[in-house]
Amino acid sequence: MSADIFLVDDDELVREGLQQVLELSGWSVRTFADMSTVMSSLQRGEEPLVLISDVRLEKGDGLQLQRAVRAHDAGIPVVLITGHGDIDMAVQAMRDGAHDFLEKPFSAGKLVATTRRAMGQRKLVLENLALRQQIEQGNEWGLIGHSPEIRRVRRLISDIGQSRVDVLILGETGTGKEVAARALHAASGTQDPFVAINCSALPESVFESEMFGHESGAFTGASRRRVGKIEHARKGTVFLDEIESMPLSLQAKLLRTIQERSVERLGSNDSVAVGCRFIAATKVDLLQAARNGSFREDLYYRLEVVTLALPPLRHRTEDIPLLFGHFVTQAARRHGAEVPPWTSDDMLAWQQRDWPGNVRELRNMAERWCLGLERLPVQASRSRSGLTETLGRVERTLIENALRDHAGNVQAAADQLRIPRKTLYDKLYRLGIDAAGYRSDV
Ligand SMILES: Nc1ncnc2c1ncn2[C@@H]1O[C@H](COP(=O)(O)OP(=O)(O)OP(=O)(O)O)[C@@H](O)[C@H]1O
Ligand SMILES: [Mg+2]
């Protein structure tokens, strides 16, 4: 049986004391008295999220253990417990990649805080691993990103995937509304189809029969009976893209269909049960559209019960490296080309652009990069926004990166940014950033 924490100490009393503190914080703990039993557990495939070890063990020391664990799986954070004389060893261990150390004597609170931090790092590693696997398996319907916003969206999708509630997806152009709709469809586990209808693409008359179907002879030119898309979706998903451009008369009909869960083909009096889930997407403020009279208020309220908002890319610039890496790799594979390297300055410049076309624009840029057409990093000064806005964006990017590096620990992020913690809190408040969203244990 594996546990959250592997705790290694050759002193039984110490072991029990620490174990109790950790278990009171809700973690499962497995204790070990020496290095060899830990290693054989790891080799049997049992893996903790975090390993905590005293540096002084009867046989061997924490430093050797740290190296062995690292050789086994560099992603397991190791926290070393050190005494007075061990500082040199601790420093060496940190250089070797130990996650952190606890200097004796330490309080229970310190132990828990340090463990939680290590836990956060481990969860991030695992999450990125899962994400990479998803990408490698060609699961192109997954939403890529590790910002709190995208993680929240993914969590919502998996929470409501199975339930058959209708969903309204909001977001600027290119933010991934269709990707999210397909992910929801995939999460529902149905084998029935995903049927996309672009509400702005068809003239009203065609649209109506496309959606609802018709009997033969229902209108001039209707020579054969036609099953509408809603019926065709069966227990799958009907994706109503750009719902704001649906003609008002059809909005009324759609509302009736959603409420009564049945449709009638044009020219027929028989109603057919509707088993699909409706997902609508829009770029506009539908409430505003309702006030202007171009969208039915009752339909709006029926749709907005469960909404999924996709944030613009400029509000989650920390996702840019991951997304860019993904798109560049994809493009390189497609073109059979080597990926031209980029520098961290390039990346920082990209993180400061405004990306009005959001992820789609980034994907196109990655494509050009791959073909060698986008070599010059775009300087912040060339962006269309003014100085204040640009500086604001730089500030946001740096703060978000620091919070991510320290799993939401404000003090540690403030230290990295070399500003007082109070100042960072003020900035977080002003920028509307929630540090807690960066903790990986929430
Ligand atoms: N989080 C994401 N991870 C991976 N790819 C993404 C993500 N978000 C968007 N994309 C990609 O960006 C492009 C645009 O996404 P999508 O078509 O879903 O956007 P949209 O919100 O529907 O845009 P529009 O409003 O213009 O129709 C697609 O190629 C999609 O695969
Ligand atoms: Mg779209």
Side-chain angles (χ1 to χ4, degrees):
M1 195 202 64
S2 209
D4 296 335
I5 299 170
F6 279 10
L7 175 67
V8 195
D9 200 310
D10 49 13
D11 183 329
E12 191 182 340
L13 278 179
V14 175
R15 227 163 38 223
E16 280 174 7
L18 298 182
Q19 177 175 21
Q20 202 173 26
V21 170
L22 294 167
E23 283 179 350
L24 281 173
S25 297
W27 292 304
S28 58
V29 180
R30 212 167 129 191
T31 58
F32 299 85
D34 59 54
M35 182 169 152
S36 60
T37 44
V38 180
M39 289 318 295
S40 51
S41 267
L42 290 177
Q43 275 144 15
R44 277 199 305 276
E46 293 162 18
E47 284 206 343
L49 294 173
V50 173
L51 188 141
I52 304 174
S53 172
D54 197 10
V55 284
R56 294 195 182 280
L57 300 170
E58 237 158 52
K59 279 175 268 163
D61 60 40
L63 210 58
Q64 288 173 317
L65 177 60
Q66 137 76 17
R67 285 182 188 144
V69 171
R70 205 176 158 71
H72 173 78
D73 178 351
I76 301 176
V78 175
V79 176
L80 292 173
I81 299 174
T82 61
H84 276 317
D86 304 327
I87 289 303
D88 286 348
M89 196 193 271
V91 169
Q92 184 58 44
M94 294 293 280
R95 275 204 198 110
D96 283 359
H99 177 74
D100 209 345
F101 63 92
L102 276 162
E103 199 182 341
K104 283 189 236 176
F106 49 84
S107 64
K110 174 103 179 142
L111 170 65
V112 170
T114 304
T115 309
R116 176 161 295 137
R117 219 167 26 241
M119 205 66 93
Q121 185 197 304
R122 178 60 173 157
K123 287 193 177 155
L124 273 183
V125 168
L126 293 176
E127 207 176 87
N128 283 341
L129 216 64
L131 216 57
R132 200 161 310 138
Q133 274 167 1
Q134 217 181 45
I135 294 168
E136 275 161 11
Q137 286 160 7
N139 179 358
E140 50 186 306
W141 302 128
L143 281 165
I144 296 169
H146 55 194
S147 59
E149 290 88 348
I150 283 295
R151 284 162 58 197
R152 214 169 290 139
V153 170
R154 275 202 302 267
R155 206 173 310 142
L156 187 63
I157 289 177
S158 77
D159 286 350
I160 62 175
Q162 297 276 338
S163 83
R164 317 247 336 134
V165 292
D166 300 325
V167 179
L168 177 64
I169 303 181
L170 309 172
E172 292 177 9
T173 182
T175 46
K177 295 185 293 297
E178 179 152 354
V179 183
R182 288 183 190 273
L184 263 169
H185 175 72
S188 73
T190 172
Q191 297 302 314
D192 288 347
F194 176 91
V195 180
I197 303 177
N198 188 318
C199 303
S200 73
L202 298 168
E204 181 166 347
S205 57
V206 182
F207 192 6
E208 184 169 17
S209 75
E210 281 261 331
M211 249 175 83
F212 301 97
H214 61 247
E215 295 295 335
S216 67
F219 49 84
T220 330
S223 55
R224 279 189 302 156
R225 169 200 237 203
R226 174 182 188 142
V227 171
K229 292 197 161 171
I230 293 176
E231 223 178 305
H232 173 67
R234 299 195 298 277
K235 290 197 165 62
T237 304
V238 169
F239 177 50
L240 299 163
D241 205 1
E242 305 193 31
I243 183 92
E244 74 279 1
S245 34
M246 182 180 278
L248 276 167
S249 64
L250 287 185
Q251 290 180 26
K253 200 161 170 181
L254 174 67
L255 180 63
R256 223 167 28 247
T257 307
I258 294 180
Q259 276 171 343
E260 292 165 14
R261 291 275 151 196
S262 67
V263 276
E264 282 158 27
R265 294 187 193 126
L266 294 176
S268 159
N269 292 322
D270 299 332
S271 59
V272 183
V274 167
C276 68
R277 158 193 263 167
F278 291 96
I279 301 179
T282 183
K283 294 193 258 286
V284 309
D285 180 348
L286 279 187
L287 195 56
Q288 191 57 43
R291 291 205 189 99
N292 296 340
S294 64
F295 200 79
R296 288 186 65 110
E297 203 175 349
D298 47 8
L299 180 57
Y300 167 72
Y301 284 112
R302 178 60 188 72
L303 290 173
E304 64 92 55
V305 178
V306 178
T307 56
L308 210 157
L310 289 164
L313 192 56
R314 64 185 170 281
H315 289 170
R316 45 180 166 112
T317 56
E318 48 186 325
D319 285 341
I320 291 177
L322 202 59
L323 282 164
F324 183 75
H326 168 62
F327 292 135
V328 151
T329 314
Q330 260 192 347
R333 199 174 300 154
R334 207 167 40 245
H335 301 300
E338 285 271 306
V339 179
W342 60 91
T343 66
S344 53
D345 280 348
D346 293 334
M347 189 50 78
L348 213 56
W350 294 331
Q351 287 183 303
Q352 287 152 21
R353 284 165 89 165
D354 13 310
W355 302 107
N358 293 294
V359 184
R360 180 179 296 113
E361 187 183 356
L362 179 64
R363 193 197 59 192
N364 294 339
M365 195 278 272
E367 185 96 9
R368 289 196 305 273
W369 179 264
C370 221
L371 296 172
L373 301 173
E374 175 101 19
R375 274 301 149 72
L376 294 172
V378 176
Q379 299 300 325
S381 58
R382 275 181 52 196
S383 107
R384 274 174 288 125
S385 35
L387 179 64
T388 316
E389 206 183 311
T390 305
L391 288 178
R393 200 165 302 129
V394 176
E395 187 178 38
R396 172 184 287 276
T397 302
L398 295 176
I399 290 175
E400 287 176 346
N401 287 348
L403 284 171
R404 164 144 305 286
D405 288 349
H406 297 283
N409 181 322
V410 176
Q411 180 67 64
D415 290 346
Q416 179 181 320
L417 295 164
R418 277 180 257 142
I419 54 174
R421 187 173 59 160
K422 166 85 172 58
T423 310
L424 181 52
Y425 270 120
D426 290 344
K427 288 181 187 298
L428 293 180
Y429 178 75
R430 186 163 46 74
L431 295 167
I433 299 173
D434 177 17
Y438 288 83
R439 287 188 6 218
S440 349
D441 54 342
V442 289

